[in-house]
Each structure stands twice: as C-alpha cells, then as structure tokens.
C-alpha cells in the first residue's frame, strides 16, 4: 500500500471505530445505563490552557466555552490517534486482511488511558476508585473500549473490502 492509502485507511478506521463506540454508548443510554458526557472531557482539556490539569471533581469545575464540541473533537482525535498507533504496532499489512484479535486486544489496552490518566485527573481516582461504584465503572470502561476494539476491526474489514 502507498503511504497515502495507509493514512486514508487508518483515518477512516479511526473515525469508524469511534463512531461504533458512540453507537454502543447510545445503546447503553437508551437502556438506562449512565454514560459520561464528552463535555467533561472538553472541560478538562479546556482548562489546560490555564495550566490546570487535575481537578477534585471535573463536574464542579468552571465550565469552558464550547466544552461539548471540544470534548467530541478530542474523542475523535483520540480515536484517530489510536487507529494510527494500532497500524504502527501491527503493520500496514493488517489493513489488507484485518483480524479481530489485534484490534480487540488493542482496544481493550486503550482503557489504560482513562483508568490511569483521565479519571484521576478529573477527580474520579485511579480506576474510578473515588466513585461510589469503582468496579462497575471499570467494567463499563472495559466494555466501552472493547466496543472500540471491535469497531477497529469492523471498520478495517469494511475498508479492506472496499479497497479490493
């Protein structure tokens, strides 16, 4: 594959996988399962420009302008970056014949970022330890990132089929 084909395929896969994760989150919300708001991610990142990287409780932090939009942009940029990292790790040949195991394993591995960086920085503690239901929140995070991993595979499968 040419470099421009790899970049394009990777971008489509990142967007597709993130959209599949979003569909999963939508299904959870419709089933009455609480899910977070991307506005809180936007709020967290929005405070970076002021040198504020951690919060006791992000929900109580001062709102930032366009935090929901910023949160969605960060969410999709992260999905793109993760797709690129997956392709770097498994190699671009995976794009021609994607398999589930690398995508799902990688998707599950990405849960490390919220568990060890985002949740503590936003006031929820490591692995949601400061929330009323840490184990349940960790399981939800794992399920969400599994949906992302499955999305990586499904998106790559579609892209590979279109490229043929």
């Amino acid at each position: 594959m040419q470099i421009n084909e790899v970049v394009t395929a990777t971008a489509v896969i990142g967007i597709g996988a993130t959209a599949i994760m979003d569909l999963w989150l939508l299904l959870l919300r419709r089933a009455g399962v609480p899910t977070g708001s991307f506005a809180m991610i936007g709020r967290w990142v929005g405070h970076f420009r002021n040198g504020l990287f951690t919060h006791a409780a992000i929900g109580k932090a001062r709102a930032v302008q366009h935090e929901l939009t910023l949160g969605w942009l960060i969410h999709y940029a992260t999905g793109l970056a993760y797709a690129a990292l997956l392709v770097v790790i498994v190699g671009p040949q995976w794009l021609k014949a994607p398999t589930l195991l690398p995508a799902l394993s990688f998707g599950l591995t990405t849960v490390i970022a919220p568990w060890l960086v985002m949740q503590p920085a936003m006031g929820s503690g490591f692995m949601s330890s400061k929330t009323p239901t840490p184990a349940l929140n960790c399981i939800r995070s794992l399920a969400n990132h599994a949906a992302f991993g499955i999305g990586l595979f499904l998106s790559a499968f579609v892209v590979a089929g279109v490229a043929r």
Side-chain angles (χ1 to χ4, degrees):
M1 292 180 92
Q2 301 280 342
I3 187 70
N4 61 331
E5 294 172 314
V6 170
V7 169
T8 301
T10 301
V12 171
I13 291 165
I15 291 168
T18 306
I20 288 170
M21 181 182 189
D22 292 339
L23 288 173
W24 166 253
L25 292 171
L26 179 63
L27 287 172
L28 289 177
R29 276 192 294 281
R30 295 228 171 147
V33 176
T35 61
S37 169
F38 291 116
M40 295 302 100
I41 294 171
R43 182 175 297 180
W44 176 53
V45 172
H47 281 284
F48 289 2
R49 68 175 176 240
N50 300 320
L52 187 56
F53 302 98
T54 62
H55 301 267
I58 193 65
K60 294 179 181 177
R62 180 184 52 78
V64 298
Q65 192 172 21
H66 309 294
E67 63 187 28
L68 181 58
T69 302
L70 179 57
W72 278 99
L73 288 171
I74 297 298
H75 174 58
Y76 272 82
T78 302
L80 287 165
Y82 280 153
L85 185 56
L86 172 63
V87 172
V88 166
I89 291 169
V90 298
Q93 72 282 357
W94 180 80
L95 296 170
K96 292 180 183 177
T99 53
L100 177 61
L101 187 59
L104 181 57
S105 300
F106 183 79
L108 287 168
T109 302
T110 63
V111 80
I112 292 169
W115 280 354
L116 303 182
V117 178
M118 291 174 59
Q119 291 169 0
M122 296 169 79
S124 296
F126 288 100
M127 298 179 73
S128 295
S129 62
K130 293 183 180 179
T131 66
T133 56
L136 181 58
N137 291 337
C138 285
I139 291 167
R140 285 181 184 151
S141 291
L142 270 173
N144 297 343
H145 286 256
F148 178 71
I150 291 166
L152 287 167
F153 168 69
L154 292 175
S155 299
F157 185 78
V158 169
V159 168
V162 169
R164 287 188 184 135

